[in-house]
Amino acid sequence: MNIIIIGGSDAGISAGLQAIELCPDAQVTLLVADAYPNFSICGLPFYLSGEVAHWKQLAHRTAADLQAAGLNVLERTMATRIFPKDQVVQAAGPDGPLRLPYDRLLIATGARSRTPPIKGLDTPGVFLLRWMDDARQLQQFIENQHVQSAAIIGGGYIGMEMADALTKRGIQVSLLEYQEHVLTTLDASLGKLVEGHLKDQGIKLVTRCTVQAITPSDAGCLIQTDSHSLHADLVLVATGSQPEVALAKDIGLPLGEQGAIRVTQKMETALKGIYAAGDCVQTWHRLLQQHVYLPLGSTAHKQGRVAGENMVGGERLFQGSLGTQVVKIFDLVVGRTGLKEQEAYEAGYAPMSLDVLADDHKAYYPGATPITLRITADWKSGKLLGAQLAGSYRAEISKRIDIFAAALYEGLTVEALNDLDLSYTPPLSSPWDPVQVAAQAWSKAQRSMNVRNS
Amino acid sequence: MNIIIIGGSDAGISAGLQAIELCPDAQVTLLVADAYPNFSICGLPFYLSGEVAHWKQLAHRTAADLQAAGLNVLERTMATRIFPKDQVVQAAGPDGPLRLPYDRLLIATGARSRTPPIKGLDTPGVFLLRWMDDARQLQQFIENQHVQSAAIIGGGYIGMEMADALTKRGIQVSLLEYQEHVLTTLDASLGKLVEGHLKDQGIKLVTRCTVQAITPSDAGCLIQTDSHSLHADLVLVATGSQPEVALAKDIGLPLGEQGAIRVTQKMETALKGIYAAGDCVQTWHRLLQQHVYLPLGSTAHKQGRVAGENMVGGERLFQGSLGTQVVKIFDLVVGRTGLKEQEAYEAGYAPMSLDVLADDHKAYYPGATPITLRITADWKSGKLLGAQLAGSYRAEISKRIDIFAAALYEGLTVEALNDLDLSYTPPLSSPWDPVQVAAQAWSKAQRSMNVRNS
C-alpha cells in the first residue's frame, strides 16, 4: 500500500502516523512545502512573545522522530498536480520534479491567511502570521527595526495571542476589530469581559472599525480606518484563514462551505482513493449535523487520524466538531464549546443563555477566583447547546470547558450535568463544580421561563 | 407540606434547599446535632493546616443564609426517635424535648469515624477527625501541647491531607498504613507514586503495619505496631467512616452495604414517606449497577438534591456514583474515577490497565509537567472502566479526571475518548489532550493484546 500525503502539518502527520500504526507495511510519503514538518502553528505567538526561546522547539516531532516512526518525509517539496486516473502526484522538490504514484492520497494542504480588502497590504512592515517563515520574518523585523508600536487587525484568537505576545515584548499594541466585539465566537457578554481585560493590559482597542488602507510613512505604517488613523511600526493582519484548495480544485473536487473541500465523515473526497483532512476541508458539526468551515488544530489532528485509519481499510467516522476553543490572554483564559446563542437560534432551537459567576474552588481555601460561565441551552427541552467560560489562568477553565464538550458530545441536558460524578477537593473545586452551579442556575431560570410561558 | 430533615450537613442541606426551591410552600425544618450547620467537613484539614484562618470560614452557608433561603434550622437538636406510624420525630433540643410532625422525612445522619480494634484509643492525645468539634479539640491540643510529632493511623484521603497539614505546621509526621500501599482506591503504581511524594516531603511512612496499642508515656503516646513502636505527641486515627444508622435501625429500616441504610435510586427507604441520603446510605454505583458503600461529600450533595426533589413530588433517580475522588497532597494532585483493576476483575470484566506519561501542556511552553495517567478498560470490548491520574497541582488533574468521569457516565469506549472535541491551546494542553494521548496508548496496547490472543 502506497500512501502519499500532501502536507506535513497537523492533519497530514496524524494521518501518516495512524496509517503506519495500523498497517506497518504501508509506504507513507509526506510532501512538505517548507522545511518545517509537524511544526506547531499554534505555538507561533509564544515564540514571538519570547516565551519559547527557539523556533526549533515548536516542532511536535523532529524530522528524525518522523523517520523513526516510518514516515518518508520530503521537505521543500511542493505538490503541483494530481493525476487521479493515473494515481500519480506531480511535485517540485529541491532536486527537481517528481512523479509519485499512490494507492491512497491525502490532501492536507491546510489553509492560508485571509487577506481582507485593505489597500496597501504590501507595505513594508505589514505581516500575516500562518507559517514558520511568516513568524521568522516577523521576529527579524521586530528585532532589526526596534519595533515599539504595533497594530493588529482582527480580534480573533491569533489577534488576542499576538496582542499578549507583543505587549510582553514591550510593544504598544493597538487592536482593530471590524465587529462590535472581539472574539466573535463568543457572545457579547464574554466578548466585553475580554475587552476589559485587554484594556487593563494597556492595549488600545477599537471595535466596529474598518481598516481601509495602509501606507508607508516616516513613522512606520499609516493605517487609515473609517473612523480614525494611526501610526504603527508594525501591522499584523489576523483576519482568519481560508482553505488552500488549488490542487483539489484543479482535479474538479467539489467544494463546500467557504470553498473548503467536500468530504464525508470518513474524510473521503468525491474521488475514490483520495482523502482530505484538516484546514482545507469542510468539517462535520456534531450539534448542527451539517458541514461548516471550522479550521482548528485539534480538529485537524482528529480528521487526519480518521483519514489515516480509513486509508488502510478502516471504516471510521469523524464524529464531528463542537467548535471547542480556548485561548490564554495574559492571565485570563477564555473558552467555548458548542453553539453561541445566535447560532442556536439559527439552528432552530429556542435558546436561553445565562451568565453565572462561581468560584473555581471553595472560597475558604486560598486563591479562589471567580469563573464566568455562560450556558446556552434550549429552554423547551433543556438540551445543552453550548458553554462559554472565562477566568483566571489557574482556574482550570480549559478542562472545565471540556466537561461541557463531553456532555455536548453525548447530547446531555443541562440538568444531566448535575448527575455527573465530578471530582471534588476544596483546593480545586466545590462539592458542586462551577459547571454544575451554572447548570443549576440555568435550570432555575428555565423553570421561571416555563412558568411565564405556561 | 411539612418536611423534617435529620442532619444539617451536605445531604440534608442540599435536600432542604432543593425542596424549597421546587416547592416554595413547603415547610422545611432541619435538625442539626451540633452548632455547625452546612459546615464543610472536607475543609477541616485546611483549617488545621493553617491555610484557612478561622473555622467559621468553613461554612458553605451561614445560618443566616439558610434562614434567608427559607429553611428552619434547629441547632444543637438531636433527633432521638422516629415514629413512622404517627409521622413524628422526637428530638432533644437546647430547650428540652420536641415532637415534630412530618409529611416527609429525610434521614441524613451521615457517618462517624471508624474506630479500629486498637487498645488505648482513649489515651489523651489520640484523636478522630470528623466533626467541627473534633477539629477544634485537635487545634487546641496542637497549640496548647506544642505538638512536635504526630502519628497518623490510616493512609486514606484524610490521612494524606492531614499528613500535609501537620507537616505544614512544622510537625514531624509518621504515617502508618495497614495495607501494602496508601490510597487503596488507587492501583499500586499510583499508590507508590504517592508514597514517593510523601517521603520526599519528610513523612515517615510505614506500610503493612498493624497498630496494636497506644499507651501514655512521658513522651506523649507510645504506639505499638506489629513491627515496631514509636512515640508521638499526637495520634490521629483516620481509618475511614461507618454509617450513622441508629435512628434508622430503631424503626426497622433494612440496612445494606456495610450497614448503610437501603435506599432506592429515588432515595426512598423501605418506609413510605421516609427518605435517606448521604453518608448514612448505600450508594448506587453506575458502573457496577449495584449498591456499594461509598461515602463522599459530592455524592451526598447529589443524593440530597434528588431526595429533596422527590420529597416534593419529583420522580428523579440518583444516577449513580463512579467513585470519583481527588486529593491534593502538598504539590501533587491525585485523582481517580470508575473502577480500579481489581474491582474491574471482580465485576466480571477483562480489564487491562496501562500507565502513560504525558505533559500537561506543550513542552515548548514554560512550566510543562508530566501527568501519570492510568487507564483501565476491558480489553475485549474496549469499554472504559476507570482512570487514575497524578501530577502537579497546576496540571488541571482534577478536571481531567472529570473528562474521564463524563465519559464513564456515558459508557464510552477508550477509543471514543479520541472523538471528544477537547479544548487546546499550547499553554494548557496539546492538540491531543493527555487524556487522549493515554487513550491512544491504551488502544495500541489493546491491539497487541488482541493479536496475541487471536
Side-chain angles (χ1 to χ4, degrees):
Chain A
M1 166 85 68
N2 200 5
I3 296 172
I4 301 287
I5 294 173
I6 304 175
S9 194
D10 296 346
I13 299 284
S14 291
L17 290 173
Q18 181 69 348
I20 220 150
E21 162 84 32
L22 298 178
C23 178
D25 297 337
Q27 301 290 318
V28 182
T29 302
L30 278 107
L31 313 188
V32 183
D34 61 18
Y36 313 110
N38 208 200
F39 264 74
S40 173
I41 295 177
C42 301
L44 298 179
F46 309 103
Y47 163 56
L48 292 165
S49 72
E51 289 159 292
V52 176
H54 197 284
W55 61 266
K56 287 195 175 173
Q57 291 175 258
L58 292 181
H60 288 304
R61 291 172 197 78
T62 63
D65 292 338
L66 298 173
Q67 210 75 36
L71 300 183
N72 178 28
V73 178
L74 305 182
E75 289 182 11
R76 298 186 195 281
T77 301
M78 175 71 94
T80 49
R81 207 164 158 192
I82 301 164
F83 297 93
K85 279 188 188 155
D86 304 331
Q87 304 201 169
V88 161
V89 174
Q90 194 183 62
D95 304 322
L98 293 165
R99 270 179 66 86
L100 302 157
Y102 66 81
D103 299 307
R104 297 283 181 280
L105 174 67
L106 178 71
I107 302 176
T109 42
R112 57 191 151 100
S113 299
R114 195 176 285 279
T115 48
I118 298 171
K119 283 175 203 156
L121 285 182
D122 56 350
T123 305
V126 178
F127 290 87
L128 300 169
L129 180 60
R130 173 107 207 145
W131 303 111
M132 183 56 79
D133 282 332
D134 297 334
R136 294 183 68 190
Q137 282 164 24
L138 195 51
Q139 173 78 337
Q140 223 165 17
F141 186 85
I142 292 170
E143 283 172 1
N144 295 350
Q145 305 296 318
H146 309 291
V147 166
Q148 294 186 10
S149 61
I152 298 173
I153 301 173
Y157 288 78
I158 300 294
M160 294 295 112
E161 288 176 337
M162 285 305 297
D164 177 331
L166 296 176
T167 301
K168 280 206 177 79
R169 290 184 75 152
I171 296 169
Q172 171 65 58
V173 174
S174 298
L175 187 65
L176 309 174
E177 166 59 45
Y178 172 76
Q179 301 279 350
E180 196 170 340
H181 294 293
V182 298
L183 289 178
T184 53
T185 56
L186 302 173
D187 283 322
S189 61
L190 275 277
K192 280 183 203 164
L193 189 152
V194 172
E195 289 165 11
H197 191 68
L198 291 171
K199 287 175 186 165
D200 289 347
Q201 302 291 333
I203 311 279
K204 292 181 187 169
L205 175 67
V206 189
T207 52
R208 301 199 210 199
C209 169
T210 306
V211 177
Q212 294 168 329
I214 303 169
T215 48
S217 80
D218 293 344
C221 300
L222 174 66
I223 303 142
Q224 286 172 299
T225 79
D226 54 352
S227 61
H228 70 312
S229 66
L230 67 154
H231 286 274
D233 297 336
L234 169 75
V235 179
L236 178 67
V237 179
T239 54
S241 55
Q242 61 188 89
E244 188 69 81
V245 296
L247 283 174
K249 232 170 150 175
D250 190 46
I251 53 170
L253 285 182
L255 305 181
E257 288 299 315
Q258 294 186 37
I261 304 168
R262 270 185 200 274
V263 286
T264 65
Q265 279 180 266
K266 284 187 181 172
M267 310 315 297
E268 303 157 320
T269 67
L271 286 173
K272 203 169 147 56
I274 303 183
Y275 295 75
D279 291 358
C280 60
V281 306
Q282 61 182 17
T283 286
W284 182 251
H285 195 291
R286 188 165 179 92
L287 276 177
L288 297 175
Q289 290 284 299
Q290 64 180 47
H291 285 101
V292 294
Y293 185 58
L294 231 169
L296 287 169
S298 46
T299 303
H301 275 83
K302 285 185 188 67
Q303 293 177 334
R305 190 167 183 266
V306 168
E309 181 164 341
N310 293 339
M311 285 195 292
V312 296
E315 291 287 334
R316 184 142 183 164
L317 297 184
F318 170 66
Q319 293 296 323
S321 169
L322 295 164
T324 311
Q325 280 179 286
V326 67
V327 62
K328 175 179 176 292
I329 311 166
F330 301 98
D331 291 326
L332 182 76
V333 172
V334 191
R336 55 94 75 207
T337 184
L339 305 178
K340 61 175 190 166
E341 198 168 74
Q342 186 61 32
E343 291 170 324
Y345 270 119
E346 287 166 10
Y349 289 107
M352 178 178 79
S353 302
L354 190 72
D355 290 37
V356 178
L357 271 179
D359 284 333
D360 73 312
H361 64 258
K362 287 307 299 177
Y364 59 71
Y365 189 85
T369 57
I371 302 177
T372 300
L373 303 102
R374 179 176 174 84
I375 288 184
T376 297
D378 188 282
W379 69 262
K380 289 177 189 161
S381 67
K383 182 182 159 83
L384 178 66
L385 299 172
Q388 301 169 39
L389 269 67
S392 149
Y393 182 26
R394 294 306 186 191
E396 308 205 8
I397 298 297
S398 71
K399 297 303 118 186
R400 285 190 161 108
I401 275 290
D402 290 348
I403 299 171
F404 282 108
L408 284 170
Y409 178 86
E410 289 298 338
L412 296 191
T413 62
V414 173
E415 250 314 299
L417 287 170
N418 297 309
D419 295 325
L420 296 181
D421 187 11
L422 305 181
S423 65
Y424 163 53
T425 183
L428 292 165
S429 186
S430 291
W432 294 111
D433 190 82
V435 164
Q436 298 171 319
V437 171
Q440 290 173 26
W442 190 93
S443 290
K444 190 172 174 176
Q446 183 197 24
R447 277 193 295 273
S448 326
M449 191 83 173
N450 285 333
V451 167
R452 269 204 304 273
N453 286 274
S454 66
Chain B
M1 166 85 71
N2 199 4
I3 296 172
I4 301 289
I5 295 173
I6 303 174
S9 194
D10 296 347
I13 300 284
S14 291
L17 290 172
Q18 181 71 348
I20 219 150
E21 162 85 31
L22 297 179
C23 179
D25 296 337
Q27 300 291 317
V28 182
T29 301
L30 279 106
L31 313 188
V32 183
D34 61 19
Y36 314 108
N38 207 199
F39 265 74
S40 172
I41 295 177
C42 302
L44 298 178
F46 309 103
Y47 162 58
L48 291 165
S49 73
E51 288 160 292
V52 176
H54 197 284
W55 61 266
K56 287 194 175 173
Q57 291 175 257
L58 291 182
H60 287 304
R61 291 172 198 78
T62 63
D65 292 339
L66 297 172
Q67 210 75 34
L71 300 183
N72 178 28
V73 178
L74 305 182
E75 290 182 9
R76 298 185 195 282
T77 301
M78 175 72 93
T80 48
R81 206 162 160 196
I82 301 164
F83 298 93
K85 278 189 189 155
D86 305 331
Q87 302 202 170
V88 161
V89 174
Q90 192 183 66
D95 304 322
L98 293 166
R99 269 180 68 86
L100 302 157
Y102 65 80
D103 299 308
R104 297 282 181 279
L105 174 67
L106 178 71
I107 301 175
T109 41
R112 56 192 152 100
S113 299
R114 194 176 284 279
T115 48
I118 298 172
K119 282 176 202 154
L121 285 182
D122 55 350
T123 304
V126 178
F127 291 86
L128 300 169
L129 180 59
R130 173 110 207 141
W131 303 110
M132 182 57 78
D133 282 332
D134 298 333
R136 294 183 67 191
Q137 282 165 24
L138 196 51
Q139 174 78 339
Q140 222 165 18
F141 186 84
I142 292 170
E143 282 173 2
N144 295 349
Q145 305 296 318
H146 310 288
V147 166
Q148 295 187 9
S149 61
I152 298 174
I153 301 173
Y157 288 77
I158 300 293
M160 295 295 111
E161 289 176 337
M162 285 305 297
D164 177 330
L166 296 176
T167 301
K168 280 206 178 80
R169 291 185 74 152
I171 296 170
Q172 171 64 55
V173 173
S174 298
L175 187 64
L176 309 173
E177 166 60 45
Y178 172 77
Q179 301 280 349
E180 195 169 343
H181 295 292
V182 298
L183 289 179
T184 53
T185 56
L186 303 173
D187 283 322
S189 60
L190 275 276
K192 280 183 202 163
L193 189 153
V194 171
E195 289 165 12
H197 191 68
L198 290 172
K199 287 176 185 164
D200 289 347
Q201 302 291 334
I203 311 278
K204 293 181 188 170
L205 175 68
V206 189
T207 52
R208 302 201 209 197
C209 168
T210 306
V211 177
Q212 294 168 329
I214 304 170
T215 47
S217 81
D218 293 343
C221 300
L222 174 65
I223 302 141
Q224 286 172 300
T225 80
D226 54 351
S227 61
H228 71 310
S229 65
L230 67 155
H231 286 274
D233 297 336
L234 169 76
V235 178
L236 178 67
V237 179
T239 54
S241 55
Q242 62 188 87
E244 187 69 81
V245 296
L247 283 174
K249 233 170 148 174
D250 189 46
I251 53 170
L253 286 181
L255 305 181
E257 288 299 316
Q258 294 186 35
I261 303 168
R262 270 185 201 276
V263 285
T264 65
Q265 279 179 267
K266 285 188 181 171
M267 310 316 296
E268 302 157 321
T269 68
L271 286 174
K272 202 168 150 55
I274 303 183
Y275 295 75
D279 291 359
C280 60
V281 307
Q282 61 182 17
T283 287
W284 182 250
H285 195 291
R286 189 166 178 91
L287 276 177
L288 298 175
Q289 290 283 300
Q290 64 180 47
H291 284 100
V292 294
Y293 184 59
L294 231 170
L296 287 169
S298 46
T299 303
H301 275 81
K302 285 186 188 65
Q303 293 177 334
R305 190 168 183 266
V306 168
E309 181 165 341
N310 293 339
M311 284 194 291
V312 296
E315 292 287 333
R316 184 142 182 164
L317 297 184
F318 170 66
Q319 292 296 321
S321 169
L322 295 165
T324 311
Q325 281 179 285
V326 68
V327 62
K328 175 178 176 293
I329 311 166
F330 301 98
D331 291 327
L332 182 76
V333 173
V334 192
R336 55 95 71 210
T337 184
L339 306 178
K340 61 175 191 166
E341 197 167 76
Q342 186 60 32
E343 291 170 325
Y345 271 119
E346 287 166 8
Y349 289 106
M352 178 178 79
S353 302
L354 190 72
D355 290 37
V356 179
L357 271 179
D359 284 333
D360 72 313
H361 65 257
K362 288 307 300 178
Y364 59 70
Y365 189 85
T369 56
I371 302 177
T372 300
L373 302 102
R374 178 176 175 85
I375 289 184
T376 297
D378 187 283
W379 69 264
K380 289 178 188 160
S381 66
K383 182 182 160 83
L384 178 66
L385 298 172
Q388 301 169 39
L389 270 68
S392 151
Y393 182 26
R394 294 306 186 190
E396 307 204 8
I397 298 298
S398 70
K399 297 303 119 186
R400 285 189 161 108
I401 275 289
D402 290 348
I403 298 171
F404 283 108
L408 285 170
Y409 178 87
E410 290 298 338
L412 297 190
T413 62
V414 173
E415 250 314 299
L417 288 169
N418 296 309
D419 295 325
L420 295 181
D421 187 10
L422 304 181
S423 65
Y424 164 52
T425 183
L428 291 165
S429 186
S430 291
W432 295 110
D433 189 82
V435 164
Q436 298 171 318
V437 170
Q440 290 173 26
W442 190 93
S443 290
K444 189 172 175 176
Q446 183 198 24
R447 279 192 295 274
S448 325
M449 192 81 175
N450 285 332
V451 167
R452 270 205 303 272
N453 286 275
S454 65

